[in-house]
Amino acid sequence: MAITADHLRITLDGPFHDTREKVRVDLSREQFTPRFIPDLEEARAHALEQMQLLAGDGYAANGFRTEHGGTGDAGAAVTSIEMLAMADLSLMVKAGVQWGLWGGAIENLGTARHHELYVKPTINLGLLGCFAMTETGHGSDVQELETTATYDAAKGEFVIHSPTPSARKDYIGGAALHATVAAVFAQLIVAGENHGVHCLVVPIRDEHGNDLPGVTTSDCGYKGGLTGVDNGRIMFDHVRIPRDNLLNRYGDVDADGVYSSPIESSNRRFFTMVGTLVRGRVTVGGSAAAAAKVALTIATRYALQRRQFSAPKSDDEVPIMDYLVHQRRLLPLIARSYALGFAQNELIAKLQDLQGSDEEPDPQDQRELESRAAGLKVANTAFATRAIQECREACGGAGYLTENRLVQLKADTDVFTTFEGDNHVLTQLVAKELLTSYADEVRGMSPVEWMKFATVTVSDVVKTRTAALQIIQTLLDTRQDNEEDGSLFNRGTQLGMFEDREEYLISTAARRLQGASKREKDPFDAFNFVQDHVMHTARAHIDRVTLEAFIAGIEACKDKAAKELLEDLCDLYALSVIEEDKAWFMEHRLISVERSKAVGRAINERCRTLRPRARSLVDGLGVPDNLLNAAMLEP
């Protein structure tokens, strides 16, 4: 069993196995043993101390180019930070803010003058930064931020100002205590003309931790979780900074006050700028998934040792994992954890390909990356919220004790569904890209503008396959659709059902958009009329992409026994997704009532098949024993 679990872990780690193994070793130190720290001051100090240890291990260098003092390994950078979630989600968030968000802004939006000044101290924590994008009045709608950066040509300075209470920078990690400088996103105003949102480096504290003149910071205080992250708020009152503090890769202002940009369109410029920061969204999704792996490992191992009620004609109580209802609670979640893990590997590999090159990425490839990152961030974070709660309940009263980690995991990941992009907004972003086939024109459109565009421009969507394109097509060719003879365990049948759903939803969403635009005088009302359909379309797309990634992951497995186990697990994932949406399949006559019942029976069969291998399956998730640290688990 241990050998099979090892092969499962290696397969699930994918191309980033070496990086993940290094993190597992590094986190084996006592300082990273998970513990509940309710006190804000202590928790924040602990998170910073852990970061300093990581800085000594060279963690941050992966996220920066070699010419700037890093290693240029974007895949390792993302993978390393998301693995930190297994130990401490506060640590993961602080590391993500420092090296991913603040550091990413300097690396991707700045030029040589910024790289020389800021990258090295960012890597070694000589300079602690924060990422000041979100405002009290604007979160997802970044283009409408109210903070202004007005150029004063006479003095060669930008004036950073918060013109209204809703322009306050809010929820900013690091702003309450540790950060001394901020990457501030603001409307760039030059000679009375607004050139849209740009990013500027703004010092906020002196070396003693005092606010600088014109800067007012405040503490968000206790949150639902993430006690170790010092989230805060920032207001600016005509704060002056040098002209050189503008991160000027995509827009610059010369000494005479003349604005220039290599990208003429303000919409395209904004989305190009924001697109370079996609790494944060990728990391958030992967980190949520890592936390879910911890919860699933704890709950499953507890279910294998916890006994409840005696079997007939026996004095021995039954392990709760032997009950089908308990298998139904946990095994499909384990299957989805593997599925999303394989999908995350493909996403990180795509990120590495695009950000590891010195050349500007192809616009369509970049949009595809952003759409996939949005979709998987939604899938991973929503899954974590659901899975961790189920694990907590599956462990009864023991699961509610902080010493067993589950309630803290739940509290710490709860916000992941809304930060780095609200999940409902991101789901619509995925649908927008699907319905317009990644057309340049839609980027930055309001719902009204998009509505007008989509009703006349919707075209056939070109499916973006996994690396296993040939395998996918071969499987589809084996599809069995006959109700009597066709097996629900046939991979081609499963793939076909996922594809049928996605294609039907895309085409009917397009027709509904067109129909609504003719009926509704207000384009916004027309868009609202089909919004539920649009959301369903995006979710179907994410499910299909995830299934294909699972199939590609199985194909890469080198061990026969592990491969067979993954095949059964993939069945459970596919059938669970179909069961969750079987009302839709039946409404649209894609499965009959009897076939719908057969889906439930097939899931039960796979649960019984996988039950004896439950320990191997969760060991394969790759959570080190020292990071479980749940008192209820037997040694």
Side-chain angles (χ1 to χ4, degrees):
M1 289 180 65
I3 294 175
T4 301
D6 288 343
H7 284 292
L8 289 173
R9 187 184 73 257
I10 292 167
T11 303
L12 186 58
D13 284 350
F16 309 102
H17 173 64
D18 290 344
T19 299
R20 294 186 192 279
E21 283 292 277
K22 180 184 184 304
V23 179
R24 290 181 181 113
V25 171
D26 290 342
L27 295 181
S28 66
R29 287 172 288 183
E30 183 181 353
Q31 295 92 330
F32 295 101
T33 299
R35 57 194 181 98
F36 176 63
I37 306 176
D39 180 74
L40 280 183
E41 184 176 351
E42 183 185 354
R44 291 171 175 181
H46 180 63
L48 185 59
E49 288 169 5
Q50 289 180 310
M51 273 186 67
Q52 290 164 341
L53 287 173
L54 295 177
D57 294 334
Y59 267 67
N62 288 325
F64 300 88
R65 294 182 181 276
T66 53
E67 60 267 31
H68 303 156
T71 66
D73 192 342
V78 170
T79 305
S80 296
I81 291 180
E82 73 176 36
M83 288 286 289
L84 299 179
M86 291 185 177
D88 188 338
L89 282 144
S90 288
L91 170 63
M92 170 265 142
V93 171
K94 280 194 73 70
V97 168
Q98 172 70 12
W99 294 316
L101 295 179
W102 154 256
I106 297 299
E107 174 82 351
N108 296 303
L109 303 182
T111 52
R113 69 193 190 210
H114 308 107
H115 301 147
E116 292 172 7
L117 189 60
Y118 299 118
V119 169
K120 190 170 291 185
T122 294
I123 291 175
N124 62 28
L125 300 186
L127 179 69
L128 295 178
C130 62
F131 187 79
M133 177 183 279
T134 299
E135 296 178 357
T136 303
H138 288 88
S140 297
D141 191 3
V142 177
Q143 280 184 291
E144 297 302 318
L145 295 178
E146 296 178 74
T147 301
T148 56
T150 306
Y151 186 62
D152 181 345
K155 294 188 176 181
E157 296 175 333
F158 285 102
V159 181
I160 312 300
H161 186 58
S162 307
T164 67
S166 61
R168 179 184 64 184
K169 296 297 180 181
D170 217 342
Y171 325 119
I172 311 301
L177 183 64
H178 292 145
T180 60
V181 65
V184 176
F185 288 78
Q187 303 289 347
L188 192 73
I189 300 171
V190 182
E193 183 178 354
N194 188 342
H195 294 279
V197 173
H198 288 62
C199 187
L200 306 94
V201 176
V202 183
I204 59 173
R205 286 191 179 88
D206 63 21
E207 65 273 18
H208 304 295
N210 300 312
D211 290 349
L212 291 172
V215 177
T216 302
T217 65
S218 55
D219 198 326
C220 291
Y222 280 97
K223 309 178 293 293
L226 298 175
T227 317
V229 183
D230 51 322
N231 294 90
R233 305 179 174 103
I234 315 173
M235 290 288 284
F236 302 100
D237 184 5
H238 297 92
V239 175
R240 289 182 171 270
I241 59 172
R243 179 175 61 89
D244 284 354
N245 283 30
L246 172 66
L247 297 179
N248 61 331
R249 179 178 177 183
Y250 296 111
D252 202 2
V253 178
D254 68 17
D256 296 325
V258 177
Y259 177 84
S260 62
S261 172
I263 303 174
E264 185 175 345
S265 165
S266 60
N267 263 349
R268 192 159 70 87
R269 180 167 60 244
F270 171 77
F271 281 100
T272 300
M273 176 184 73
V274 173
T276 66
L277 305 175
V278 69
R279 190 183 302 178
R281 191 165 286 166
V282 176
T283 306
V284 165
S287 299
K293 289 175 182 176
V294 176
L296 286 165
T297 303
I298 292 172
T300 302
R301 288 176 61 168
Y302 182 71
L304 292 170
Q305 70 183 43
R306 178 78 160 96
R307 294 175 177 272
Q308 196 78 276
F309 304 111
S310 300
K313 300 180 181 179
S314 173
D315 294 330
D316 295 330
E317 290 188 302
V318 179
I320 57 176
M321 198 67 197
D322 284 353
Y323 292 102
L324 177 62
V325 68
H326 213 80
Q327 295 166 20
R328 272 276 199 155
R329 299 180 80 171
L330 297 179
L331 291 175
L333 294 175
I334 295 170
R336 191 168 298 226
S337 182
Y338 273 82
L340 290 169
F342 288 123
Q344 181 75 1
N345 285 343
E346 287 195 354
L347 175 62
I348 297 173
K350 180 73 172 177
L351 172 75
Q352 188 169 35
D353 287 344
L354 293 186
Q355 295 198 348
S357 171
D358 291 331
E359 299 179 1
E360 288 289 331
D362 175 78
Q364 181 163 324
D365 286 343
Q366 178 66 29
R367 286 194 297 273
E368 181 188 318
L369 171 67
E370 292 170 36
S371 178
R372 185 72 62 90
L376 282 176
K377 187 269 181 182
V378 172
N380 274 314
T381 56
F383 168 71
T385 295
R386 168 187 166 194
I388 296 171
Q389 178 64 24
E390 191 66 53
C391 289
R392 205 295 297 157
E393 293 181 23
C395 293
Y400 198 57
L401 301 179
T402 56
E403 67 179 13
N404 291 319
R405 291 208 66 196
L406 296 173
V407 286
Q408 187 176 0
L409 288 170
K410 179 68 165 59
D412 287 347
T413 57
D414 190 48
V415 73
F416 280 44
T417 58
T418 51
F419 89 133
E420 275 295 329
D422 175 87
N423 277 6
H424 286 79
V425 174
L426 292 184
T427 303
Q428 293 176 71
L429 184 154
V430 175
K432 179 193 289 191
E433 300 291 0
L434 282 174
L435 288 167
T436 52
S437 297
Y438 308 111
D440 278 331
E441 293 89 342
V442 304
R443 299 180 63 73
M445 287 183 177
S446 69
V448 173
E449 293 168 326
W450 176 48
M451 177 70 204
K452 292 177 180 177
F453 177 85
T455 55
V456 295
T457 333
V458 172
S459 56
D460 292 336
V461 175
V462 179
K463 280 190 175 65
T464 304
R465 295 292 193 191
T466 67
L469 171 60
Q470 187 173 353
I471 300 163
I472 299 297
Q473 190 55 55
T474 300
L475 290 171
L476 283 169
D477 291 341
T478 69
R479 180 175 183 173
Q480 299 173 356
D481 285 330
N482 185 285
E483 287 271 335
E484 295 179 1
D485 301 326
S487 172
L488 286 167
F489 295 132
N490 176 272
R491 193 74 72 227
T493 299
Q494 295 164 1
L495 272 167
M497 293 177 72
F498 277 55
E499 286 205 352
D500 289 346
R501 180 177 60 149
E502 181 185 356
E503 291 175 357
Y504 186 94
L505 283 165
I506 290 172
S507 62
T508 52
R511 288 198 295 271
R512 286 189 67 191
L513 280 168
Q514 292 166 339
S517 67
K518 295 175 182 177
R519 289 191 304 273
E520 307 289 341
K521 293 182 179 180
D522 185 341
F524 183 80
D525 289 340
F527 171 78
N528 260 355
F529 185 78
V530 300
Q531 202 167 24
D532 58 336
H533 194 138
V534 164
M535 299 283 280
H536 197 172
T537 301
R539 288 192 293 268
H541 171 73
I542 296 166
D543 287 341
R544 192 264 302 170
V545 166
T546 302
L547 177 59
E548 290 190 357
F550 202 150
I551 292 167
I554 294 172
E555 185 64 22
C557 184
K558 305 299 183 184
D559 179 74
K560 182 180 178 182
K563 196 168 190 174
E564 290 175 354
L565 191 53
L566 287 171
E567 290 283 7
D568 288 345
L569 200 62
C570 188
D571 282 339
L572 185 55
Y573 166 70
L575 293 168
S576 297
V577 172
I578 292 168
E579 183 180 55
E580 288 172 359
D581 211 13
K582 67 180 181 181
W584 183 89
F585 280 102
M586 292 174 66
E587 285 175 358
H588 295 83
R589 302 181 186 279
L590 294 178
I591 60 172
S592 67
V593 172
E594 285 306 312
R595 198 153 173 84
S596 172
K597 294 178 181 177
V599 170
R601 292 194 296 270
I603 290 174
N604 290 346
E605 181 178 335
R606 276 293 170 261
C607 284
R608 285 189 288 268
T609 300
L610 291 168
R611 158 61 186 95
R613 310 309 300 275
R615 177 61 186 265
S616 292
L617 288 173
V618 292
D619 286 352
L621 293 175
V623 183
D625 283 352
N626 70 295
L627 296 186
L628 297 176
N629 202 36
M632 66 183 173
L633 296 183
E634 296 174 355

